[in-house]
Amino acid sequence: MFKISFFKTVYYLLVKYIVFFFILAFMEDRFKNIVIDKAETTRELVELTFGYILYVLYYVAFLVFLFCGPLYYVLKIKDGSYFLPLLMVFYIAEFFVNRFFSLSDQLSGIYNLVIGVLFLFLFFYKQVKIKFAF
Protein backbone atom coordinates (compact mmCIF):
# COMPACT_ATOMS: atom_id res chain seq x y z
CA MET A 1 0.00 0.00 0.00
CA PHE A 2 2.77 2.45 0.91
CA LYS A 3 6.35 2.90 -0.21
CA ILE A 4 8.80 2.85 2.63
CA SER A 5 9.54 6.34 3.93
CA PHE A 6 10.18 7.71 7.37
CA PHE A 7 6.81 9.48 7.52
CA LYS A 8 4.95 6.37 6.38
CA THR A 9 6.73 4.41 9.11
CA VAL A 10 5.61 6.99 11.67
CA TYR A 11 2.07 6.79 10.27
CA TYR A 12 2.14 2.97 10.53
CA LEU A 13 3.26 3.11 14.17
CA LEU A 14 0.73 5.81 15.01
CA VAL A 15 -2.19 3.84 13.56
CA LYS A 16 -0.94 0.58 15.08
CA TYR A 17 -0.63 2.00 18.60
CA ILE A 18 -3.96 3.83 18.45
CA VAL A 19 -5.69 0.58 17.44
CA PHE A 20 -3.72 -1.32 20.09
CA PHE A 21 -4.67 1.08 22.90
CA PHE A 22 -8.28 1.21 21.69
CA ILE A 23 -8.48 -2.58 21.95
CA LEU A 24 -6.80 -2.51 25.37
CA ALA A 25 -9.29 0.08 26.60
CA PHE A 26 -12.13 -2.37 26.23
CA MET A 27 -10.31 -5.49 27.35
CA GLU A 28 -10.89 -6.37 30.99
CA ASP A 29 -13.15 -3.29 31.29
CA ARG A 30 -10.27 -0.82 31.58
CA PHE A 31 -12.18 2.09 30.10
CA LYS A 32 -15.19 1.25 32.26
CA ASN A 33 -13.09 1.12 35.44
CA ILE A 34 -11.02 4.21 34.68
CA VAL A 35 -13.67 6.47 33.14
CA ILE A 36 -17.27 5.29 33.30
CA ASP A 37 -17.32 4.10 36.92
CA LYS A 38 -15.77 7.34 38.18
CA ALA A 39 -18.11 9.69 36.28
CA GLU A 40 -21.24 10.86 38.03
CA THR A 41 -22.42 13.37 35.44
CA THR A 42 -22.23 13.65 31.69
CA ARG A 43 -19.72 16.46 32.00
CA GLU A 44 -17.44 14.31 34.18
CA LEU A 45 -17.76 11.49 31.65
CA VAL A 46 -16.63 13.80 28.85
CA GLU A 47 -13.78 15.21 30.95
CA LEU A 48 -12.57 11.78 32.05
CA THR A 49 -12.83 10.45 28.49
CA PHE A 50 -10.81 13.40 27.19
CA GLY A 51 -8.23 12.87 29.93
CA TYR A 52 -8.01 9.18 29.09
CA ILE A 53 -7.51 9.97 25.41
CA LEU A 54 -4.74 12.46 26.23
CA TYR A 55 -3.11 9.92 28.55
CA VAL A 56 -3.14 7.29 25.80
CA LEU A 57 -1.90 9.74 23.16
CA TYR A 58 1.03 10.65 25.42
CA TYR A 59 2.14 7.01 25.45
CA VAL A 60 1.42 6.61 21.74
CA ALA A 61 3.67 9.61 20.99
CA PHE A 62 6.42 8.23 23.24
CA LEU A 63 6.29 4.77 21.63
CA VAL A 64 6.20 6.18 18.09
CA PHE A 65 9.19 8.39 18.90
CA LEU A 66 11.05 5.44 20.43
CA PHE A 67 10.45 2.97 17.61
CA CYS A 68 10.15 5.02 14.41
CA GLY A 69 13.89 5.17 13.68
CA PRO A 70 14.71 1.51 14.29
CA LEU A 71 11.68 0.29 12.35
CA TYR A 72 12.42 2.62 9.44
CA TYR A 73 15.95 1.25 9.13
CA VAL A 74 14.74 -2.34 9.41
CA LEU A 75 12.18 -1.74 6.67
CA LYS A 76 14.84 -0.17 4.42
CA ILE A 77 16.89 -3.41 4.42
CA LYS A 78 16.71 -4.94 0.95
CA ASP A 79 17.94 -8.47 1.68
CA GLY A 80 15.28 -10.74 3.17
CA SER A 81 17.86 -12.84 5.02
CA TYR A 82 18.76 -9.80 7.12
CA PHE A 83 15.32 -8.24 7.14
CA LEU A 84 13.42 -11.06 8.83
CA PRO A 85 15.82 -11.58 11.79
CA LEU A 86 16.10 -7.84 12.40
CA LEU A 87 12.32 -7.46 12.20
CA MET A 88 12.03 -10.23 14.79
CA VAL A 89 14.54 -8.44 17.02
CA PHE A 90 12.51 -5.24 16.61
CA TYR A 91 9.27 -6.95 17.66
CA ILE A 92 10.98 -8.70 20.59
CA ALA A 93 12.34 -5.35 21.81
CA GLU A 94 8.91 -3.80 21.39
CA PHE A 95 7.39 -6.72 23.32
CA PHE A 96 9.71 -6.14 26.28
CA VAL A 97 9.14 -2.38 26.28
CA ASN A 98 5.41 -3.08 26.27
CA ARG A 99 5.81 -5.52 29.18
CA PHE A 100 7.77 -2.87 31.10
CA PHE A 101 4.87 -0.40 30.81
CA SER A 102 2.12 -2.97 31.37
CA LEU A 103 3.29 -5.30 34.11
CA SER A 104 -0.25 -6.18 35.16
CA ASP A 105 -1.34 -7.54 31.77
CA GLN A 106 0.80 -10.42 30.54
CA LEU A 107 -0.99 -10.70 27.16
CA SER A 108 -0.76 -7.08 26.03
CA GLY A 109 2.60 -7.73 24.37
CA ILE A 110 1.08 -10.57 22.38
CA TYR A 111 -1.83 -8.35 21.30
CA ASN A 112 0.64 -5.67 20.26
CA LEU A 113 2.67 -8.20 18.26
CA VAL A 114 -0.36 -9.54 16.40
CA ILE A 115 -1.66 -6.05 15.63
CA GLY A 116 1.82 -4.95 14.56
CA VAL A 117 2.31 -7.83 12.13
CA LEU A 118 -1.18 -7.39 10.66
CA PHE A 119 -0.69 -3.67 10.11
CA LEU A 120 2.84 -4.23 8.77
CA PHE A 121 1.40 -6.33 5.98
CA LEU A 122 -1.46 -3.89 5.42
CA PHE A 123 0.92 -0.97 5.07
CA PHE A 124 4.02 -2.54 3.53
CA TYR A 125 2.94 -5.82 1.91
CA LYS A 126 4.44 -5.13 -1.52
CA GLN A 127 7.71 -3.84 -0.10
CA VAL A 128 8.08 -6.87 2.22
CA LYS A 129 7.17 -9.24 -0.60
CA ILE A 130 9.89 -7.76 -2.82
CA LYS A 131 12.52 -8.53 -0.16
CA PHE A 132 11.83 -12.25 -0.55
CA ALA A 133 11.43 -12.38 -4.36
CA PHE A 134 14.21 -14.32 -6.03
Side-chain angles (χ1 to χ4, degrees):
M1 179 175 171
F2 291 122
K3 290 185 178 181
I4 297 171
S5 72
F6 184 76
F7 293 110
K8 304 267 171 62
T9 305
V10 169
Y11 181 65
Y12 155 78
L13 287 171
L14 187 66
V15 169
K16 177 189 119 166
Y17 285 125
I18 288 172
V19 169
F20 170 64
F21 282 113
F22 180 79
I23 289 170
L24 279 184
F26 296 101
M27 303 220 32
E28 301 176 10
D29 297 327
R30 290 176 188 212
F31 184 77
K32 181 181 177 292
N33 294 336
I34 295 171
V35 175
I36 296 174
D37 288 347
K38 294 182 180 178
E40 295 179 8
T41 65
T42 305
R43 180 182 172 152
E44 286 179 351
L45 181 66
V46 170
E47 289 174 355
L48 289 172
T49 301
F50 185 69
Y52 183 80
I53 290 170
L54 288 178
Y55 178 77
V56 166
L57 288 177
Y58 170 76
Y59 283 104
V60 166
F62 173 74
L63 291 170
V64 168
F65 177 74
L66 182 66
F67 289 118
C68 64
L71 181 61
Y72 172 70
Y73 287 111
V74 168
L75 289 172
K76 291 298 279 184
I77 294 171
K78 296 189 187 312
D79 186 5
S81 62
Y82 293 116
F83 171 74
L84 195 55
L86 287 174
L87 187 65
M88 289 169 53
V89 167
F90 171 80
Y91 281 123
I92 289 169
E94 186 182 43
F95 175 82
F96 283 111
V97 167
N98 188 351
R99 292 258 321 200
F100 176 74
F101 284 112
S102 180
L103 296 174
S104 63
D105 188 3
Q106 303 296 321
L107 294 176
S108 64
I110 302 296
Y111 300 141
N112 188 27
L113 175 68
V114 170
I115 292 167
V117 171
L118 288 174
F119 276 97
L120 181 75
F121 285 107
L122 283 174
F123 277 73
F124 301 109
Y125 174 75
K126 288 182 183 178
Q127 290 75 23
V128 171
K129 185 179 171 184
I130 289 170
K131 295 176 190 313
F132 296 101
F134 295 105

